[in-house]
Amino acid sequence: MHYWTRLATCGAVVAGMLGFASGSWAQEVKSPTMDAIKKRGELICGVDTGIPGFAFQDSAGKWAGLDIAYCRALATAVLGSADKVKFIGTTSKVRFSVLQSGEIDVLIRDSTLTLTRNTELGLAHGANNFFTGEAFMVKKSLNVAHAKELNGATICVLTGTTLELNIADYGRANNIKINTLLFERPEEAFAAAEAGRCDGYTDDGGSVAAARSSMKKPDDWVILPELISREFLGSYTRQGDERWNILVRWTHMAMLEAEVLGITQKNVDEIKKTATNPEVRGFLGLEENFGKKLGVDNDWAYRIVKEVGNYGENYDKYFGPLQLPRGWNELYTKGGLQYPLPWR
Amino acid sequence: MVRRPSRRAYIGQWVLLAGVVAFGWLLADMVAGNYARKNLHFGFGFLADQAHFDLPFHLISWNLFDTYGRVLLVCLLNTVLVAAMAIVTATVLGLLVGVMRLSVNWLVRNIALAFIEFVRNTPQLVQLIFWYVGVLQTLPSPRQSITLPGGVLLNIRGLFVPDAVMREGSGLLSWLALAVLIATPFVWRVKIGSSRVGAKALFLLLLALVLFAAGVDHVEYPVLQGFNLAGGTQVPPELVALWIGLSIYATAFIAEIVRGSIEAIPKGQHEAAQALGLKGLQRLFLVVLPQALRIMVPQLTSQYLNIIKSTTLGAAVGYSELMQIFAGTVMQQAAKEAETMAIVMAIFVGINLATSALMNWYNRRVALVER
């Protein structure tokens, strides 16, 4: 090729990249994320790589779990179908980068919001679908009854989590030394605990119950009563798209509100036909236009309950088999912390 | 138009350089813009912050109040340790298997062949997990430790070796022992008159041992205490799994390099050595291998670089190396993603360039001197 032709080609490539880069910057729409989802016809949801209760795949490869239900509810709200979701399993290490880079629309992955993540990682709080704390699971044969007796023990932990800091802080506060062994994925940590490489496993309360259920003999393991931290799990979005964040928040509120109003997947059609209560009618989109204000159809909440169910139904479905009582995740009316904002 | 081709080429190169610089600047600007838009700050100041988490394996002292900078140092040492162990082991085993591959004995030759083909054709990560989960995690619990000679205990938590507890103020003796140890190979080469010191230098090793032993107060044996064994030095199974995994995998490739290089030496060299009356091993070590080395070194270099890079697979078996801890825990806790990844990449480039430089120097040394 002639020199000048080659140069011109180079120049064209650089100019093209310039144009592409500036073009993708220029847009300023109300909710770019929601627009992108509609255009794509699919919600891309970042979930756990596999933990019973929150997000796991059955033998046919179909995803299920509380976090999965939230992804499906969001897809229902935006696209009208709970099946228009692509699930992306993310490890604890890369989850926030994947969200930040725009690879996923929303992160619903049993992740805790902390001050550092809120500020330094640009994580925007959507909703909390699970209140818990860090718990320990140890072999029954060790005869340990309390976390404070773990001095000198080795505990398997997932890397890149708040757990690593909690466990060190707890040891410091109680003047004991708990050794940790770090793993990237739960499967490897479970295997190491099972084999006896560690004396126990630590994770958020819900996940520890899940870990116990996946041990060869769950009865050989005991979950210690102490929760050594507060973990605030839920759905998160990137900062900079307020409207999308608002929809994520109210999708959670819709699932809670349905439970408060006693609307379930089973009776929602019946109630829609006969409802006279203004709160119920407003919720189901028969009156008012809450959906429109959020940028979705007016019967979005009805569809969520119809396709996914209310919060309590999903909790029982996924955590019932793990024998994890609702505790903090009970509705506020029953002494729990789950409190839907006013549907006004 | 510029007519002279040389001048045209000159201008063309400058224009291209300007284009590359402009593109680089554009990328940097885009990253900076994205950071600003997301309210994130780019910087390395976090290295001075306290880490507040525990590291499972460290060669130098570590406590919760040390900084992220020290985490980096701990992880770097861990990475270098396992890389060095694997390089040495893979080289020795590779040489052995490579020579076995050329053996006249049918069984030996085919055992080597089967080993190479099996190891070369299975994924490295799978092998690592096999060593860790399939082999090391089947060892007994601390209470049922296997007792080895010399007070060494082996169980699922690792290999526990007795520790020498040094007397106070014996530091000087230990340093002296180390200095004598390092001096040994140099003394070996020293010429007195017309002959080398040679094997007499081995006496220095004995001296080093005596110097070291003089400083030992008592030996601490590992014993069962609470959940784990206390006392002694623990070699964690994570390190062993990664070491074996990396070594075995690289052995297969190095063996093929050794075989290829030996076969590249003309048959006449073997015959000439035979004619001189050299025995089998003498032929190999005195005539064939020194020549084969020249062909081997450049290929060995890339194998060594591969081993160094593959240490990052240690993250899968819970070994505290750069990828798992620095580009994992630190990245998350300090919320500095671009910075930690940049540091890890820079470090690997650094280690690998240093290794290449060393190997190139060695290559020049063994290369045929042409006059």
Side-chain angles (χ1 to χ4, degrees):
Chain A
M1 221 192 296
H2 198 270
Y3 243 98
W4 295 108
T5 338
R6 217 191 295 181
L7 256 175
T9 322
C10 257
V13 168
V14 171
M17 281 176 166
L18 265 167
F20 178 75
S22 56
S24 57
W25 281 343
Q27 292 184 7
E28 273 295 328
V29 201
K30 277 266 161 169
S31 173
T33 316
M34 226 189 294
D35 289 345
I37 296 167
K38 282 180 186 155
K39 203 168 154 199
R40 198 190 302 134
E42 189 178 54
L43 170 79
I44 302 181
C45 203
V47 297
D48 203 310
T49 49
I51 182 104
F54 292 101
F56 55 95
Q57 283 169 290
D58 63 15
S59 50
K62 200 167 154 19
W63 284 92
L66 185 70
D67 285 347
I68 300 299
Y70 273 75
C71 296
R72 290 162 56 83
L74 259 177
T76 312
V78 184
L79 300 168
S81 162
D83 295 324
K84 291 184 176 165
V85 199
K86 185 170 153 196
F87 298 104
I88 299 214
T90 56
T91 59
S92 52
K93 195 158 141 181
V94 304
R95 53 190 160 171
F96 303 118
S97 329
V98 170
L99 177 66
Q100 213 40 270
S101 68
E103 218 173 298
I104 55 177
D105 299 314
V106 59
L107 181 75
I108 312 180
R109 192 213 167 277
D110 56 300
S111 299
T112 305
L113 185 68
T114 63
L115 192 150
T116 308
R117 287 174 183 175
N118 208 177
T119 51
E120 299 282 305
L121 284 178
L123 200 62
H125 171 224
N128 301 100
N129 63 8
F130 207 88
F131 293 99
T132 182
E134 179 173 351
F136 292 98
M137 170 182 88
V138 294
K139 271 225 168 87
K140 228 177 219 168
S141 57
L142 291 174
N143 287 321
V144 172
H146 295 282
K148 279 183 191 164
E149 296 164 19
L150 287 174
N151 193 14
T154 305
I155 302 290
C156 285
V157 195
L158 296 182
T159 182
T161 56
T162 42
L163 308 165
E164 281 175 272
L165 299 182
N166 297 338
I167 202 168
D169 282 354
Y170 182 78
R172 235 166 93 191
N174 290 287
N175 215 2
I176 57 175
K177 171 97 171 90
I178 303 177
N179 303 307
T180 53
L181 190 66
L182 304 171
F183 288 93
E184 198 134 316
R185 299 189 313 143
E187 293 83 356
E188 282 134 22
F190 292 174
E194 184 94 71
R197 173 65 185 92
C198 321
D199 297 300
Y201 175 77
T202 186
D203 207 331
D204 303 332
S207 310
V208 164
R212 183 166 175 262
S213 77
S214 61
M215 290 285 141
K216 274 185 202 124
K217 280 189 199 154
D219 287 338
D220 284 357
W221 297 83
V222 58
I223 296 176
L224 302 183
E226 291 84 8
L227 293 181
I228 66 163
S229 70
R230 297 186 300 271
E231 304 293 333
F232 186 85
L233 315 182
S235 341
Y236 305 102
T237 63
R238 288 179 286 279
Q239 284 169 7
D241 192 346
E242 264 307 295
R243 300 303 307 206
W244 171 237
N245 184 260
I246 289 173
L247 183 71
V248 169
R249 169 168 312 128
W250 283 90
T251 299
H252 170 60
M253 297 308 162
M255 291 176 71
L256 283 184
E257 184 76 12
E259 191 183 3
V260 170
L261 297 174
I263 307 173
T264 64
Q265 202 167 11
K266 226 177 230 162
N267 69 17
V268 63
D269 280 324
E270 185 66 28
I271 288 182
K272 196 179 181 185
K273 262 183 251 160
T274 60
T276 52
N277 180 339
E279 274 189 322
V280 174
R281 290 181 63 83
F283 177 77
L284 293 175
L286 300 169
E287 288 174 15
E288 311 272 0
N289 46 3
F290 294 129
K292 295 254 163 59
K293 289 176 184 166
L294 288 167
V296 293
D297 295 342
N298 224 19
D299 65 345
W300 69 292
Y302 159 78
R303 285 201 314 261
I304 288 177
V305 182
K306 174 85 184 150
E307 296 224 20
V308 183
N310 70 30
Y311 180 80
E313 282 179 283
N314 280 292
Y315 188 99
D316 293 343
K317 189 163 159 194
Y318 299 118
F319 289 99
L322 305 180
Q323 291 161 2
L324 190 71
R326 272 183 75 173
W328 289 343
N329 293 298
E330 194 57 89
L331 286 180
Y332 72 108
T333 48
K334 293 176 187 163
L337 295 172
Q338 291 292 4
Y339 184 101
L341 296 176
W343 206 264
R344 279 275 166 255
Chain B
M1 284 308 262
V2 189
R3 296 234 163 177
R4 258 212 342 252
S6 66
R7 173 141 331 150
R8 232 164 37 202
Y10 188 70
I11 294 175
Q13 282 180 26
W14 276 104
V15 171
L16 190 66
L17 182 68
V20 169
V21 170
F23 186 62
W25 180 80
L26 182 79
L27 279 180
D29 187 57
M30 200 149 68
V31 170
N34 281 336
Y35 261 72
R37 210 155 38 83
K38 288 173 182 162
N39 265 326
L40 304 174
H41 318 281
F42 190 90
F44 294 97
F46 73 97
L47 287 173
D49 294 347
Q50 292 186 348
H52 292 168
F53 58 80
D54 193 30
L55 287 175
F57 179 66
H58 42 87
L59 293 172
I60 51 174
S61 75
W62 169 256
N63 74 57
L64 298 178
F65 305 100
D66 283 329
T67 62
Y68 287 130
R70 191 164 174 93
V71 178
L72 184 61
L73 184 64
V74 169
C75 297
L76 175 63
L77 287 176
N78 288 353
T79 294
V80 170
L81 171 76
V82 75
M85 285 166 66
I87 284 176
V88 171
T89 316
T91 308
V92 173
L93 288 180
L95 185 66
L96 184 73
V97 178
V99 171
M100 278 169 69
R101 186 82 171 70
L102 294 169
S103 166
V104 285
N105 184 320
W106 183 90
L107 189 65
V108 170
R109 193 169 66 234
N110 283 289
I111 286 177
L113 177 72
F115 167 81
I116 290 172
E117 291 307 336
F118 188 76
V119 172
R120 258 202 325 188
N121 295 309
T122 47
Q124 191 169 14
L125 185 60
V126 174
Q127 289 183 25
L128 266 181
I129 306 232
F130 165 76
W131 288 112
Y132 187 54
V133 178
V135 178
L136 295 175
Q137 287 195 353
T138 56
L139 287 169
S141 73
R143 275 157 226 262
Q144 278 102 42
S145 298
I146 300 168
T147 313
L148 299 174
V152 178
L153 295 176
L154 178 69
N155 61 45
I156 187 166
R157 304 283 166 88
L159 190 70
F160 294 78
V161 189
D163 232 356
V165 178
M166 305 307 283
R167 224 191 311 262
E168 268 196 54
S170 67
L172 193 67
L173 280 173
S174 302
W175 283 114
L176 211 59
L178 187 69
V180 170
L181 202 65
I182 293 172
T184 308
F186 296 102
V187 173
W188 184 293
R189 302 177 74 96
V190 166
K191 276 186 181 166
I192 299 171
S194 61
S195 64
R196 287 236 167 104
V197 173
K200 290 187 212 89
L202 291 178
F203 172 73
L204 285 177
L205 292 182
L206 200 67
L207 182 67
L209 194 68
V210 171
L211 281 173
F212 178 76
V216 175
D217 186 52
H218 65 276
V219 177
E220 191 183 60
Y221 289 96
V223 283
L224 190 69
Q225 188 182 19
F227 296 97
N228 287 315
L229 292 173
T233 298
Q234 181 202 14
V235 183
E238 290 74 30
L239 170 63
V240 178
L242 187 58
W243 172 44
I244 300 179
L246 291 177
S247 306
I248 297 289
Y249 189 74
T251 294
F253 290 90
I254 291 178
E256 281 299 276
I257 293 173
V258 169
R259 179 184 67 93
S261 309
I262 291 177
E263 283 188 334
I265 303 301
K267 212 176 155 210
Q269 295 289 324
H270 292 267
E271 291 166 353
Q274 207 161 10
L276 286 174
L278 295 177
K279 295 268 180 319
L281 277 181
Q282 285 177 323
R283 279 207 298 278
L284 186 68
F285 281 100
L286 296 177
V287 178
V288 179
L289 272 181
Q291 299 183 70
L293 203 58
R294 293 182 188 135
I295 311 170
M296 264 182 244
V297 172
Q299 302 175 68
L300 276 181
T301 308
S302 58
Q303 284 307 318
Y304 290 171
L305 300 188
N306 272 339
I307 292 180
I308 294 169
K309 286 181 285 182
S310 299
T311 56
T312 51
L313 291 173
V317 292
Y319 182 64
S320 310
E321 43 71 58
L322 280 168
M323 190 64 191
Q324 195 205 23
I325 303 294
F326 200 73
T329 305
V330 172
M331 179 171 104
Q332 289 284 317
Q333 308 303 6
K336 293 285 178 199
E337 309 189 319
E339 291 89 335
T340 48
M341 289 316 288
I343 290 175
V344 168
M345 284 198 277
I347 285 182
F348 273 103
V349 169
I351 301 178
N352 275 352
L353 285 181
T355 310
S356 287
L358 198 70
M359 291 299 284
N360 285 342
W361 168 80
Y362 184 67
N363 191 29
R364 273 196 304 277
R365 242 181 65 111
V366 298
L368 216 63
V369 184
E370 289 179 35
R371 279 179 246 265

